[in-house]
Protein backbone atom coordinates (compact mmCIF):
# COMPACT_ATOMS: atom_id res chain seq x y z
CA UNK A 1 0.00 0.00 0.00
CA UNK A 2 1.27 3.48 -0.81
CA UNK A 3 0.91 5.69 2.26
CA UNK A 4 0.25 9.43 2.34
CA UNK A 5 1.11 11.92 5.06
CA UNK A 6 -2.34 13.55 5.16
CA UNK A 7 -5.16 13.50 7.67
CA UNK A 8 -7.59 12.48 4.91
CA UNK A 9 -5.54 9.38 4.11
CA UNK A 10 -5.27 8.46 7.81
CA UNK A 11 -9.03 8.88 8.21
CA UNK A 12 -9.64 6.64 5.20
CA UNK A 13 -7.57 3.92 6.87
CA UNK A 14 -9.57 4.41 10.08
CA UNK A 15 -12.83 4.04 8.16
CA UNK A 16 -11.65 0.68 6.81
CA UNK A 17 -10.30 -0.52 10.18
CA UNK A 18 -12.33 -3.40 11.68
CA UNK A 19 -10.82 -2.72 15.11
CA UNK A 20 -11.54 1.02 15.06
CA UNK A 21 -14.57 0.64 17.34
CA UNK A 22 -12.43 -0.86 20.10
CA UNK A 23 -10.81 2.52 20.83
CA UNK A 24 -14.04 3.40 22.53
CA UNK A 25 -13.66 0.41 24.83
CA UNK A 26 -10.67 2.05 26.55
CA UNK A 27 -10.20 4.91 28.98
CA UNK A 28 -7.61 7.45 27.85
CA UNK A 29 -5.87 9.88 30.19
CA UNK A 30 -6.14 13.51 29.12
CA UNK A 31 -3.54 16.23 28.67
CA UNK A 32 -4.79 19.79 28.17
CA UNK A 33 -8.33 18.39 28.15
CA UNK A 34 -7.61 16.24 25.12
CA UNK A 35 -7.27 12.48 25.12
CA UNK A 36 -3.66 11.47 24.78
CA UNK A 37 -1.99 9.56 21.97
CA UNK A 38 -0.91 6.57 23.99
CA UNK A 39 2.27 4.84 22.82
CA UNK A 40 3.18 3.02 26.04
CA UNK A 41 0.92 -0.02 25.93
CA UNK A 42 4.20 -1.99 25.86
CA UNK A 43 4.72 -0.88 29.47
CA UNK A 44 1.20 -0.51 30.83
CA UNK A 45 -1.88 -1.06 28.67
CA UNK A 46 -4.89 1.28 28.99
CA UNK A 47 -7.83 0.35 31.17
CA UNK A 48 -10.69 -1.29 29.24
CA UNK A 49 -14.06 0.14 30.28
CA UNK A 50 -15.46 -3.34 30.75
CA UNK A 51 -12.87 -4.18 33.43
CA UNK A 52 -14.60 -2.33 36.24
CA UNK A 53 -17.66 -4.57 36.08
CA UNK A 54 -15.47 -7.67 36.51
CA UNK A 55 -13.80 -6.18 39.59
CA UNK A 56 -17.11 -4.90 40.99
CA UNK A 57 -18.56 -8.39 40.62
CA UNK A 58 -15.87 -9.83 42.87
CA UNK A 59 -16.30 -7.00 45.38
CA UNK A 60 -20.06 -7.59 45.44
CA UNK A 61 -19.67 -11.35 45.82
CA UNK A 62 -17.20 -10.83 48.62
CA UNK A 63 -19.61 -8.40 50.36
CA UNK A 64 -22.65 -10.63 49.92
CA UNK A 65 -21.20 -14.10 50.21
CA UNK A 66 -17.93 -13.73 52.12
CA UNK A 67 -16.27 -17.13 52.38
CA UNK A 68 -19.13 -18.78 50.54
CA UNK A 69 -17.98 -16.92 47.43
CA UNK A 70 -15.27 -19.54 46.97
CA UNK A 71 -17.95 -21.99 45.88
CA UNK A 72 -21.21 -20.09 45.39
CA UNK A 73 -20.29 -16.87 43.57
CA UNK A 74 -21.59 -16.82 40.01
CA UNK A 75 -17.96 -17.20 39.02
CA UNK A 76 -16.74 -19.26 41.98
CA UNK A 77 -13.28 -18.26 43.17
CA UNK A 78 -11.84 -21.71 43.83
CA UNK A 79 -11.66 -22.50 40.11
CA UNK A 80 -11.86 -18.94 38.73
CA UNK A 81 -8.49 -19.43 36.98
CA UNK A 82 -9.91 -22.21 34.82
CA UNK A 83 -11.87 -19.57 32.90
CA UNK A 84 -8.55 -18.48 31.37
CA UNK A 85 -7.53 -21.84 29.92
CA UNK A 86 -9.44 -21.64 26.63
CA UNK A 87 -9.13 -17.97 25.70
CA UNK A 88 -5.54 -17.60 26.93
CA UNK A 89 -4.37 -20.76 25.18
CA UNK A 90 -5.51 -19.18 21.90
CA UNK A 91 -3.53 -16.01 22.59
CA UNK A 92 -0.25 -17.95 22.89
CA UNK A 93 -0.93 -20.97 20.69
CA UNK A 94 -1.18 -23.64 23.37
CA UNK A 95 -3.44 -26.43 24.55
CA UNK A 96 -5.80 -25.23 27.30
CA UNK A 97 -4.08 -27.52 29.79
CA UNK A 98 -0.72 -25.90 29.02
CA UNK A 99 -1.55 -22.43 30.36
CA UNK A 100 -2.24 -21.08 33.78
CA UNK A 101 -2.32 -17.73 35.57
CA UNK A 102 -0.60 -16.97 38.85
CA UNK A 103 1.89 -14.71 40.63
CA UNK A 104 3.88 -12.17 38.61
CA UNK A 105 6.28 -12.56 35.75
CA UNK A 106 9.72 -12.68 37.35
CA UNK A 107 8.37 -14.84 40.17
CA UNK A 108 6.99 -17.30 37.64
CA UNK A 109 10.20 -17.43 35.63
CA UNK A 110 12.06 -18.24 38.86
CA UNK A 111 9.54 -20.96 39.68
CA UNK A 112 9.74 -22.41 36.19
CA UNK A 113 13.52 -22.42 36.42
CA UNK A 114 13.17 -24.67 39.46
CA UNK A 115 11.82 -27.22 36.99
CA UNK A 116 13.80 -26.35 33.89
CA UNK A 117 17.17 -25.09 35.09
CA UNK A 118 18.77 -28.07 36.74
CA UNK A 119 22.45 -27.62 36.16
CA UNK A 120 24.94 -30.46 36.42
CA UNK A 121 28.73 -30.29 36.75
CA UNK A 122 29.11 -30.31 32.99
CA UNK A 123 25.83 -28.86 31.70
CA UNK A 124 25.10 -25.65 33.57
CA UNK A 125 25.15 -22.70 31.16
CA UNK A 126 22.27 -20.40 30.34
CA UNK A 127 22.04 -18.59 27.02
CA UNK A 128 20.20 -15.28 27.05
CA UNK A 129 20.23 -12.10 25.01
CA UNK A 130 22.63 -9.24 25.65
CA UNK A 131 20.85 -6.40 27.50
CA UNK A 132 17.89 -8.53 28.48
CA UNK A 133 15.34 -6.67 30.63
CA UNK A 134 17.21 -6.03 33.92
CA UNK A 135 14.82 -8.16 35.96
CA UNK A 136 15.79 -11.13 33.79
CA UNK A 137 19.47 -10.37 34.25
CA UNK A 138 19.08 -10.26 38.04
CA UNK A 139 17.07 -13.45 37.87
CA UNK A 140 19.76 -15.29 35.87
CA UNK A 141 22.50 -14.08 38.21
CA UNK A 142 20.65 -15.12 41.34
CA UNK A 143 19.69 -18.48 39.83
CA UNK A 144 23.23 -19.43 38.85
CA UNK A 145 24.56 -18.21 42.22
CA UNK A 146 21.98 -20.27 44.06
CA UNK A 147 23.37 -23.34 42.28
CA UNK A 148 26.96 -22.37 43.14
CA UNK A 149 28.06 -21.07 39.71
CA UNK A 150 29.68 -17.78 38.73
CA UNK A 151 27.85 -15.28 36.52
CA UNK A 152 30.73 -14.87 34.08
CA UNK A 153 31.02 -18.61 33.62
CA UNK A 154 27.40 -19.74 33.60
CA UNK A 155 25.62 -16.92 31.77
CA UNK A 156 26.32 -16.65 28.07
CA UNK A 157 24.93 -13.54 26.40
CA UNK A 158 24.30 -13.34 22.68
CA UNK A 159 25.84 -10.10 21.53
CA UNK A 160 24.88 -7.69 18.81
CA UNK A 161 27.53 -7.27 16.13
CA UNK A 162 29.48 -4.01 16.15
CA UNK A 163 27.38 -1.20 14.71
CA UNK A 164 24.18 -3.29 14.69
CA UNK A 165 21.14 -2.76 16.89
CA UNK A 166 19.61 -6.21 16.67
CA UNK A 167 20.68 -9.76 17.31
CA UNK A 168 21.01 -12.04 14.31
CA UNK A 169 19.29 -15.41 14.45
CA UNK A 170 22.39 -16.99 12.90
CA UNK A 171 24.42 -15.69 15.86
CA UNK A 172 21.94 -17.21 18.34
CA UNK A 173 22.16 -20.55 16.56
CA UNK A 174 25.95 -20.42 16.36
CA UNK A 175 26.19 -19.66 20.09
CA UNK A 176 23.88 -22.54 20.95
CA UNK A 177 26.04 -24.87 18.91
CA UNK A 178 29.24 -23.50 20.43
CA UNK A 179 28.05 -23.93 24.03
CA UNK A 180 26.71 -27.36 23.02
CA UNK A 181 27.04 -29.98 25.76
CA UNK A 182 27.45 -27.32 28.45
CA UNK A 183 24.12 -25.73 27.66
CA UNK A 184 21.38 -26.29 30.25
CA UNK A 185 18.87 -23.63 29.27
CA UNK A 186 18.06 -21.07 26.59
CA UNK A 187 15.85 -18.28 27.97
CA UNK A 188 15.31 -15.17 25.86
CA UNK A 189 12.69 -12.41 25.63
CA UNK A 190 10.45 -13.36 22.68
CA UNK A 191 10.23 -9.66 21.82
CA UNK A 192 13.11 -7.53 23.07
CA UNK A 193 11.84 -4.78 25.34
CA UNK A 194 14.33 -2.15 24.14
CA UNK A 195 14.42 -2.61 20.37
CA UNK A 196 11.12 -4.40 19.77
CA UNK A 197 12.96 -7.16 17.88
CA UNK A 198 10.91 -10.36 17.53
CA UNK A 199 13.00 -13.50 17.82
CA UNK A 200 12.53 -16.58 15.66
CA UNK A 201 11.22 -18.67 18.54
CA UNK A 202 10.54 -21.78 16.50
CA UNK A 203 14.05 -22.05 15.04
CA UNK A 204 15.81 -21.12 18.28
CA UNK A 205 13.72 -23.59 20.30
CA UNK A 206 14.60 -26.42 17.90
CA UNK A 207 18.30 -25.51 18.05
CA UNK A 208 18.29 -25.45 21.87
CA UNK A 209 16.68 -28.88 21.97
CA UNK A 210 19.20 -30.23 19.46
CA UNK A 211 21.94 -29.16 21.88
CA UNK A 212 20.15 -31.08 24.66
CA UNK A 213 18.91 -28.02 26.56
CA UNK A 214 15.53 -26.82 27.73
CA UNK A 215 14.14 -23.73 26.03
CA UNK A 216 11.91 -21.13 27.68
CA UNK A 217 10.71 -17.65 26.68
CA UNK A 218 9.98 -14.46 28.56
CA UNK A 219 6.92 -13.28 26.68
CA UNK A 220 6.37 -9.96 28.51
CA UNK A 221 6.40 -8.04 25.21
CA UNK A 222 4.97 -10.86 23.12
CA UNK A 223 1.70 -11.87 24.80
CA UNK A 224 -1.19 -10.15 23.06
CA UNK A 225 1.25 -8.60 20.59
CA UNK A 226 2.44 -11.40 18.33
CA UNK A 227 0.98 -14.66 17.15
CA UNK A 228 2.66 -17.68 18.67
CA UNK A 229 2.39 -21.45 18.47
CA UNK A 230 4.08 -22.42 21.71
CA UNK A 231 2.77 -25.98 21.64
CA UNK A 232 3.73 -26.69 18.03
CA UNK A 233 7.09 -24.99 18.43
CA UNK A 234 7.75 -27.44 21.26
CA UNK A 235 8.67 -24.67 23.72
CA UNK A 236 9.28 -26.15 27.19
CA UNK A 237 7.99 -23.23 29.22
CA UNK A 238 7.16 -19.53 29.04
CA UNK A 239 5.73 -16.76 31.17
CA UNK A 240 4.41 -13.28 30.52
CA UNK A 241 2.91 -10.35 32.39
CA UNK A 242 -0.63 -9.28 31.63
CA UNK A 243 -0.28 -5.54 32.17
CA UNK A 244 1.30 -4.56 28.84
CA UNK A 245 -0.50 -5.53 25.63
CA UNK A 246 -3.06 -7.49 27.63
CA UNK A 247 -4.32 -4.43 29.51
CA UNK A 248 -5.00 -6.09 32.84
CA UNK A 249 -3.68 -3.37 35.15
CA UNK A 250 -0.50 -2.33 36.94
CA UNK A 251 1.70 -5.16 38.14
CA UNK A 252 -1.05 -7.66 37.53
CA UNK A 253 -1.00 -11.44 37.35
CA UNK A 254 1.23 -13.38 35.01
CA UNK A 255 0.44 -16.14 32.56
CA UNK A 256 2.49 -19.33 32.30
CA UNK A 257 2.94 -22.03 29.72
CA UNK A 258 4.28 -25.52 30.41
CA UNK A 259 4.35 -27.90 27.44
CA UNK A 260 2.15 -30.95 27.92
CA UNK A 261 5.09 -33.29 27.33
CA UNK A 262 6.22 -32.28 30.84
CA UNK A 263 2.90 -32.62 32.63
CA UNK A 264 3.27 -36.27 33.59
CA UNK A 265 6.97 -36.08 34.44
CA UNK A 266 7.02 -36.95 38.13
CA UNK A 267 10.79 -36.41 38.31
CA UNK A 268 10.55 -32.77 37.34
CA UNK A 269 11.16 -30.80 40.54
CA UNK A 270 8.85 -27.93 41.36
CA UNK A 271 8.04 -25.77 44.33
CA UNK A 272 4.61 -26.87 45.47
CA UNK A 273 1.64 -25.41 47.28
CA UNK A 274 -1.93 -26.46 47.88
CA UNK A 275 -3.38 -24.72 44.80
CA UNK A 276 -1.33 -27.04 42.57
CA UNK A 277 -2.69 -30.10 44.38
CA UNK A 278 -5.24 -32.48 42.85
CA UNK A 279 -8.35 -30.36 42.47
CA UNK A 280 -10.84 -32.97 43.68
CA UNK A 281 -8.84 -33.62 46.84
CA UNK A 282 -7.54 -30.12 47.58
CA UNK A 283 -9.81 -29.55 50.53
CA UNK A 284 -9.16 -32.95 52.07
CA UNK A 285 -6.00 -31.37 53.49
CA UNK A 286 -3.80 -34.37 52.70
CA UNK A 287 -0.11 -34.34 53.60
CA UNK A 288 1.35 -35.54 50.27
CA UNK A 289 1.42 -33.36 47.16
CA UNK A 290 -0.35 -34.80 44.13
CA UNK A 291 -0.06 -32.21 41.35
CA UNK A 292 -2.88 -31.32 38.99
CA UNK A 293 -1.92 -32.59 35.53
CA UNK A 294 -1.26 -29.52 33.47
CA UNK A 295 0.21 -26.08 33.96
CA UNK A 296 -2.19 -25.62 36.90
CA UNK A 297 -0.02 -28.12 38.75
CA UNK A 298 2.65 -25.38 39.02
CA UNK A 299 0.33 -23.17 41.06
CA UNK A 300 1.21 -22.58 44.68
CA UNK A 301 -1.22 -20.29 46.46
CA UNK A 302 -4.90 -19.58 46.59
CA UNK A 303 -5.30 -17.13 43.68
CA UNK A 304 -5.82 -13.36 44.08
CA UNK A 305 -9.26 -13.10 42.48
CA UNK A 306 -9.26 -9.30 42.54
CA UNK A 307 -6.19 -9.43 40.30
CA UNK A 308 -7.58 -12.09 38.04
CA UNK A 309 -10.84 -10.20 37.42
CA UNK A 310 -9.27 -7.49 35.17
CA UNK A 311 -7.19 -10.15 33.44
CA UNK A 312 -10.34 -12.16 32.71
CA UNK A 313 -11.98 -9.06 31.21
CA UNK A 314 -8.94 -8.74 28.99
CA UNK A 315 -8.66 -12.36 27.80
CA UNK A 316 -12.35 -12.37 26.97
CA UNK A 317 -11.80 -9.26 24.85
CA UNK A 318 -8.88 -10.93 23.09
CA UNK A 319 -11.01 -14.00 22.49
CA UNK A 320 -13.73 -11.88 20.94
CA UNK A 321 -11.26 -10.14 18.59
CA UNK A 322 -8.75 -12.90 17.87
CA UNK A 323 -5.01 -12.55 17.36
CA UNK A 324 -5.32 -12.63 13.55
CA UNK A 325 -7.21 -9.31 13.42
CA UNK A 326 -4.83 -7.78 15.94
CA UNK A 327 -1.79 -8.83 13.93
CA UNK A 328 -3.31 -7.61 10.66
CA UNK A 329 -3.94 -4.10 12.00
CA UNK A 330 -0.69 -4.11 13.99
CA UNK A 331 1.40 -4.58 10.84
CA UNK A 332 -0.43 -1.86 8.95
CA UNK A 333 -0.36 0.73 11.71
CA UNK A 334 3.28 0.02 12.61
CA UNK A 335 4.23 0.47 8.95
CA UNK A 336 2.21 3.70 8.83
CA UNK A 337 4.06 4.97 11.90
CA UNK A 338 7.37 4.07 10.27
CA UNK A 339 6.31 5.95 7.12
CA UNK A 340 5.29 9.03 9.12
CA UNK A 341 8.61 9.01 11.00
CA UNK A 342 10.48 8.81 7.70
CA UNK A 343 8.40 11.64 6.22
CA UNK A 344 9.04 13.92 9.19
CA UNK A 345 12.70 13.02 9.06
CA UNK A 346 12.82 14.18 5.42
CA UNK A 347 10.85 17.35 6.14
CA UNK A 348 12.94 18.58 9.07
CA UNK A 349 16.23 16.84 8.29
CA UNK A 350 16.38 15.28 11.74
CA UNK A 351 18.95 12.88 13.14
CA UNK A 352 16.82 10.19 14.70
CA UNK A 353 17.13 6.56 13.72
CA UNK A 354 14.64 3.69 13.99
CA UNK A 355 16.52 0.79 15.58
CA UNK A 356 13.68 -1.75 15.41
CA UNK A 357 14.07 -4.21 12.52
CA UNK A 358 12.35 -3.03 9.35
CA UNK A 359 11.14 -6.51 8.37
CA UNK A 360 7.55 -7.14 9.56
CA UNK A 361 8.61 -10.68 10.52
CA UNK A 362 11.07 -9.31 13.03
CA UNK A 363 8.99 -6.58 14.59
CA UNK A 364 5.54 -6.15 16.06
CA UNK A 365 3.82 -3.25 17.79
CA UNK A 366 6.85 -1.18 18.71
CA UNK A 367 9.26 1.14 16.99
CA UNK A 368 12.22 2.25 19.05
CA UNK A 369 13.73 5.51 17.98
CA UNK A 370 17.28 6.45 18.81
CA UNK A 371 17.48 10.20 19.32
CA UNK A 372 20.97 11.17 18.28
CA UNK A 373 20.49 14.90 18.50
CA UNK A 374 17.17 15.95 19.99
CA UNK A 375 17.32 13.86 23.13
CA UNK A 376 15.44 14.32 26.32
CA UNK A 377 13.95 17.72 25.51
CA UNK A 378 12.08 16.27 22.53
CA UNK A 379 10.68 13.51 24.75
CA UNK A 380 9.52 16.17 27.23
CA UNK A 381 7.91 18.16 24.40
CA UNK A 382 5.98 15.09 23.23
CA UNK A 383 4.74 14.35 26.76
CA UNK A 384 3.66 17.96 27.32
CA UNK A 385 1.75 17.83 24.06
CA UNK A 386 -0.21 14.71 24.87
CA UNK A 387 1.96 12.03 23.24
CA UNK A 388 2.73 9.45 25.91
CA UNK A 389 5.93 7.58 25.03
CA UNK A 390 8.70 6.31 27.23
CA UNK A 391 12.33 7.13 27.57
CA UNK A 392 14.84 4.34 27.90
CA UNK A 393 18.43 5.17 28.77
CA UNK A 394 20.65 6.32 27.19
CA UNK A 395 18.52 7.95 24.46
CA UNK A 396 15.72 5.85 23.05
CA UNK A 397 12.02 6.58 22.92
CA UNK A 398 9.73 3.62 22.34
CA UNK A 399 6.51 4.05 20.40
CA UNK A 400 3.92 1.29 20.56
CA UNK A 401 0.93 2.00 18.31
CA UNK A 402 -1.18 -0.66 20.02
CA UNK A 403 -3.78 -1.82 17.45
CA UNK A 404 -6.64 -2.09 19.93
CA UNK A 405 -6.69 1.59 20.79
CA UNK A 406 -4.56 3.55 18.34
CA UNK A 407 -6.05 5.16 15.24
CA UNK A 408 -4.31 6.03 12.01
CA UNK A 409 -5.35 9.64 12.63
CA UNK A 410 -3.42 9.46 15.92
CA UNK A 411 -0.32 8.51 13.95
CA UNK A 412 -0.76 11.40 11.52
CA UNK A 413 -1.29 13.81 14.40
CA UNK A 414 1.74 12.44 16.22
CA UNK A 415 3.81 13.23 13.11
CA UNK A 416 2.69 16.84 13.22
CA UNK A 417 3.49 17.16 16.93
CA UNK A 418 6.88 15.51 16.39
CA UNK A 419 7.70 17.93 13.59
CA UNK A 420 6.81 20.93 15.77
CA UNK A 421 8.84 19.44 18.59
CA UNK A 422 11.98 18.93 16.53
CA UNK A 423 11.81 22.44 15.07
CA UNK A 424 11.21 23.99 18.49
CA UNK A 425 13.88 21.98 20.29
CA UNK A 426 16.46 22.81 17.61
CA UNK A 427 15.89 26.56 18.03
C1 LIG B 1 11.01 -8.56 29.30
C2 LIG B 1 10.54 -8.31 30.70
N1 LIG B 1 10.83 -9.22 31.65
C3 LIG B 1 10.45 -9.04 32.93
C4 LIG B 1 9.75 -7.92 33.31
C5 LIG B 1 9.41 -7.78 34.77
O1 LIG B 1 8.11 -8.08 35.02
P1 LIG B 1 7.54 -8.18 36.53
O2 LIG B 1 7.93 -6.94 37.23
O3 LIG B 1 6.07 -8.27 36.34
O4 LIG B 1 8.14 -9.39 37.14
C6 LIG B 1 9.41 -6.95 32.35
C7 LIG B 1 8.63 -5.72 32.64
O5 LIG B 1 8.52 -5.16 33.65
C8 LIG B 1 9.84 -7.15 31.02
O6 LIG B 1 9.58 -6.26 30.07
N1 LIG C 1 5.93 -2.50 35.26
C1 LIG C 1 6.45 -1.25 35.17
C2 LIG C 1 6.32 -0.32 36.24
O1 LIG C 1 5.61 -0.73 37.33
C3 LIG C 1 6.85 0.94 36.16
C4 LIG C 1 7.53 1.31 35.03
C5 LIG C 1 7.70 0.43 33.97
C6 LIG C 1 7.20 -0.84 34.06
C7 LIG C 1 7.39 -1.80 32.96
O2 LIG C 1 6.65 -2.70 32.81
C8 LIG C 1 8.54 -1.59 32.11
C9 LIG C 1 8.55 -2.54 30.96
N2 LIG C 1 8.80 -3.90 31.33
C10 LIG C 1 9.52 -2.14 29.92
O3 LIG C 1 9.59 -2.78 28.89
O4 LIG C 1 10.21 -1.14 30.07
Amino acid sequence: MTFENTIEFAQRLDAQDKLNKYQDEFIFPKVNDKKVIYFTGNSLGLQPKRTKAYVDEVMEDWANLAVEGHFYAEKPWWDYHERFANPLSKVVGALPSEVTVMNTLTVNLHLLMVSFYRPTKTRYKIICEEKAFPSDQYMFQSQVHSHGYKTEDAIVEIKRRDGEHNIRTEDVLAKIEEVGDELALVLIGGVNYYTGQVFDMKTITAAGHKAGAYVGWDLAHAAGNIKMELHDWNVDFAAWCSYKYMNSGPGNASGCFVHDKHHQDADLPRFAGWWGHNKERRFKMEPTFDPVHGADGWQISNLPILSLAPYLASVEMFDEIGMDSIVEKRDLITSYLEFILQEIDKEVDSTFEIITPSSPVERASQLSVLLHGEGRSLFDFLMENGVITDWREPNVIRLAPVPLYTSFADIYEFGQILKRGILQVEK
Side-chain angles (χ1 to χ4, degrees):
M1 183 183 295
T2 314
F3 292 135
E4 292 169 25
N5 184 12
T6 64
I7 186 64
E8 292 76 19
F9 180 81
Q11 285 167 342
R12 273 206 303 281
L13 287 181
D14 280 329
Q16 292 159 15
D17 171 17
K18 283 181 286 188
L19 298 190
N20 189 269
K21 61 175 191 242
Y22 278 95
Q23 281 160 62
D24 204 35
E25 289 250 4
F26 290 87
I27 304 171
F28 289 78
K30 288 189 172 158
V31 168
N32 302 329
D33 254 359
K34 200 167 162 282
K35 88 182 204 305
V36 298
I37 298 172
Y38 195 73
F39 281 146
T40 43
N42 54 352
S43 186
L44 178 69
L46 289 179
Q47 183 182 137
K49 290 178 184 164
R50 61 174 83 177
T51 298
K52 192 169 180 306
Y54 285 67
V55 176
D56 286 349
E57 182 185 26
V58 179
M59 293 297 280
E60 287 288 309
D61 285 340
W62 177 25
N64 296 328
L65 299 167
V67 72
E68 299 271 79
H70 283 301
F71 298 104
Y72 302 113
E74 199 177 313
K75 297 188 187 109
W77 305 330
W78 82 293
D79 60 2
Y80 195 94
H81 58 282
E82 293 181 4
R83 294 171 189 276
F84 290 79
N86 263 309
L88 195 53
S89 66
K90 288 187 237 165
V91 173
V92 296
L95 304 176
S97 64
E98 291 174 324
V99 296
T100 195
V101 287
M102 58 186 193
N103 312 309
T104 44
L105 172 57
T106 311
V107 171
N108 282 339
L109 288 173
H110 272 299
L111 291 173
L112 289 163
M113 285 175 81
V114 169
S115 300
F116 297 105
Y117 178 55
R118 288 179 294 141
T120 63
K121 263 207 169 79
T122 53
R123 195 184 272 282
Y124 59 93
K125 295 194 174 173
I126 300 176
I127 283 188
C128 62
E129 85 264 43
E130 178 188 40
K131 291 195 193 144
F133 190 75
S135 193
D136 288 4
Q137 297 185 44
Y138 310 149
M139 173 183 74
F140 292 135
Q141 290 157 16
S142 58
Q143 280 277 341
V144 301
H145 291 169
S146 79
H147 287 284
Y149 299 94
K150 289 202 167 62
T151 303
E152 54 284 10
D153 185 25
I155 301 175
V156 180
E157 291 187 349
I158 301 156
K159 309 274 183 212
R160 292 159 177 84
R161 294 190 187 186
D162 278 351
E164 295 187 10
H165 295 297
N166 295 290
I167 291 173
R168 297 192 191 193
T169 306
E170 67 204 81
D171 291 349
V172 182
L173 302 182
K175 189 57 83 181
I176 289 174
E177 210 177 314
E178 183 191 315
V179 179
D181 291 345
E182 292 178 342
L183 184 61
L185 174 68
V186 178
L187 179 46
I188 300 177
V191 177
N192 181 264
Y193 85 100
Y194 193 75
T195 61
Q197 177 183 11
V198 177
F199 283 90
D200 182 346
M201 294 191 225
K202 182 180 175 186
T203 305
I204 294 169
T205 301
H209 287 159
K210 194 162 162 235
Y214 285 120
V215 182
W217 293 93
D218 173 344
L219 302 178
H221 289 260
N225 180 23
I226 64 172
K227 222 174 153 206
M228 292 175 278
E229 297 296 342
L230 297 182
H231 175 84
D232 289 350
W233 297 344
N234 213 7
V235 165
D236 293 295
F237 70 96
W240 54 94
C241 51
S242 59
Y243 48 76
K244 300 180 190 294
Y245 294 97
M246 297 212 64
N247 313 312
S248 81
N252 210 350
S254 157
C256 290
F257 166 90
V258 180
H259 199 283
D260 77 341
K261 67 186 174 183
H262 298 302
H263 293 177
Q264 308 279 358
D265 183 353
D267 293 334
L268 213 55
R270 66 179 99 178
F271 285 167
W274 73 317
W275 229 250
H277 186 73
N278 180 326
K279 187 183 164 192
E280 311 312 322
R281 309 185 63 82
R282 184 173 303 146
F283 291 91
K284 297 200 185 299
M285 308 299 179
E286 296 162 330
T288 308
F289 183 59
D290 169 23
V292 177
H293 290 143
D296 284 350
W298 269 261
Q299 295 215 349
I300 295 183
S301 291
N302 182 179
L303 286 156
I305 305 301
L306 280 168
S307 288
L308 294 192
Y311 195 7
L312 186 62
S314 158
V315 295
E316 290 185 353
M317 187 189 284
F318 272 79
D319 202 35
E320 194 176 291
I321 300 167
M323 283 308 296
D324 286 333
S325 309
I326 290 173
V327 165
E328 193 187 333
K329 174 168 175 189
R330 179 201 74 194
D331 285 347
L332 190 62
I333 200 162
T334 306
S335 296
Y336 191 54
L337 175 61
E338 181 183 42
F339 164 79
I340 292 290
L341 284 165
Q342 287 161 349
E343 287 296 291
I344 303 304
D345 191 23
K346 276 189 241 155
E347 281 180 35
V348 297
D349 192 23
S350 179
T351 51
F352 60 74
E353 181 190 0
I354 302 175
I355 61 171
T356 307
S358 53
S359 154
V361 184
E362 280 190 279
R363 74 178 185 201
S365 187
Q366 177 178 321
L367 294 181
S368 299
V369 181
L370 187 59
L371 299 175
H372 289 292
E374 297 86 358
R376 187 87 200 191
S377 42
L378 178 59
F379 167 77
D380 293 339
F381 179 90
L382 292 173
M383 295 291 276
E384 282 156 19
N385 285 278
V387 178
I388 310 298
T389 74
D390 66 16
W391 175 265
R392 286 289 175 262
E393 294 297 337
N395 53 350
V396 160
I397 56 169
R398 302 183 304 171
L399 308 167
V402 175
L404 285 185
Y405 48 72
T406 311
S407 70
F408 291 89
D410 286 340
I411 304 294
Y412 170 79
E413 203 192 322
F414 159 69
Q416 298 304 301
I417 298 171
L418 178 68
K419 183 161 75 178
R420 282 206 322 271
I422 293 171
L423 294 174
Q424 191 158 318
V425 164
E426 272 178 355
K427 264 191 234 149

